[in-house]
Amino acid sequence: MVAASAIRIVPPGRPLRGKLELPGSKSITNRALLLAALSKGRSLLTGALKSDDTRYMARALQQMGVQVEEPTETSFVVTGTGALAVPETPLFLGNAGTAVRFLTAAVAARVPGEVVLDGDEHMHKRPIGPLLSALAALGVKASAPTGCPPVTVEGTGHLAGGEVRIDAGLSSQYVSAVLMAAGCADAPVEIALQGSGLDARGYVDLTVATMQAFGGEVQAEDTMRWRVQPKPYVATDFYIEPDASAATYPWAAGVLTGGGIDVGLDPMAFSQPDAKAWQMMTLFPHMPAEIDGSQMQDAVPTLAVLAAFNQTPVRFVGIRNLRVKECDRISAVSTELNRICPGLAREDGDDLIVNGDPTLAGQSRPTRIETYSDHRIAMAFALTGLLIDEITILNPACVGKTWPGYWDALRGLGVELVAE
């Protein structure tokens, strides 16, 4: 973890080439940790991510009686009984959205008592009301007076079956949370979407695949409905693929500098939806006039930084959910791009328009980038410093949420970083 309060990136002035090792997928790691905890027996999770978000999940599971060991830097050994005990203190989950949402549903199904789930000041702004409404249909008593954490769940150790409708307009994680908990229900659960569709559907597909790996019985009946049969999860050894969202940064670094960086896995081989961003990157500096970010939301800040150097403007659509991530990423990206060059970006409703300006490359634009304690803002905007001199990233340690070794990875590619 970086101790400096700021890091200035020195443009390398040459194509970046090389190979680096990506961290494991955060999305898959936290799903696998939970499902292993809900299984009876010992599961070995390899290729796992060790970061703030996954450690919050692991510690919360330990508070509920699950044995979680870390034999290596990329593995967990999880020994579960299929049940979760009442924790003695509230579960503190930082700003880990996956952890707080997945565990809210899981404790409702498996903890026979009251559980409080809380987080930091940023978590207190992340909506959870739609998930609680969905769980209420399955007999769960839970409350969050502000509509955001802290959440109090009055668990019974059981989850009723039946049909539940979920408004997933703000987050696909609500669907994933109910899907995984439904495997522990007393009867089959039918999950149906409210509204016209689901952004970030690929993450729900990840949930289904991980459930099936742990013996869960779940199937998609159509694009708006899933059916889960109650069936005990089975402990298993499980490999976690590298993080596709993390891959977008070295991919973009190679594209921006005219080089190429090998992340150890072909872009088309990822199962995670953010890998789709690679197809847009291959078009740089002639990216399309409109990019639908709905199915690759965490990659949008990276693509927006690329778009800042594109030959023509790019409008990002389908990204309204970015307003309720670790920060309001639409506003943050627009604000910080304009901090570098006034007029470089603007918001249009929930769309983001980036006015490409390839002449920025090679300029000196002394700018201190606010990161809003958001790892993706820090990692994406570090890329601007590969082409523009005097770019400084504030609070660089926030990358520890998903990629603690990010700055070391850049150094490994030959990028000079000056700590301030």
Side-chain angles (χ1 to χ4, degrees), residues 295-371:
Q295 302 304 319
M296 48 182 176
Q297 294 176 5
D298 284 346
V300 169
T302 315
L303 291 172
V305 165
L306 271 179
F309 301 95
N310 200 53
Q311 293 284 350
T312 52
V314 178
R315 176 187 286 266
F316 292 89
V317 302
I319 59 171
R320 65 191 179 101
N321 288 10
L322 267 65
R323 294 208 182 275
V324 291
K325 295 287 187 177
E326 281 80 345
C327 71
D328 179 342
R329 287 181 179 160
I330 299 174
S331 176
V333 170
S334 178
T335 298
E336 299 313 308
L337 286 177
N338 287 325
R339 199 186 299 276
I340 294 171
C341 178
L344 189 54
R346 65 182 176 90
E347 300 173 54
D348 185 11
D350 287 329
D351 292 354
L352 172 67
I353 299 170
V354 180
N355 298 309
D357 184 358
T359 68
L360 287 171
Q363 292 189 31
S364 177
R365 292 264 178 170
T367 309
R368 298 177 70 81
I369 300 293
E370 296 286 350
T371 54

Side-chain angles (χ1 to χ4, degrees), residues 175-194:
V175 179
S176 290
V178 176
L179 279 168
M180 288 186 284
C184 304
D186 296 333
V189 177
E190 292 272 356
I191 300 168
L193 291 178
Q194 287 181 333

Side-chain angles (χ1 to χ4, degrees), residues 107-122:
V107 302
R110 276 292 174 258
V111 178
E114 183 178 284
V115 182
V116 176
L117 302 96
D118 201 358
D120 62 21
E121 60 181 310
H122 304 287

Side-chain angles (χ1 to χ4, degrees), residues 101 127 129-131 133-134 164-178 191-201 204 223-224 226 294-295 297 320-321 324-325:
R101 288 159 179 165
L131 174 58
S133 296
V164 56
R165 301 187 68 81
I166 300 179
D167 179 357
L170 291 176
S171 177
S172 66
Q173 291 172 7
Y174 305 149
V175 179
S176 290
V178 176
I191 300 168
L193 291 178
Q194 287 181 333
S196 59
L198 176 66
D199 290 344
R201 175 174 292 275
V204 176
T223 59
M224 300 284 285
W226 296 262
S294 63
Q295 302 304 319
Q297 294 176 5
R320 65 191 179 101
N321 288 10
V324 291
K325 295 287 187 177

Side-chain angles (χ1 to χ4, degrees), residues 9-16 253 257 383-388 413-416:
I9 297 92
V10 178
R14 59 175 176 78
L16 291 180
T257 63
L383 301 173
T384 65
L386 299 179
L387 297 184
I388 300 173
L413 294 171
V415 179
E416 182 182 353

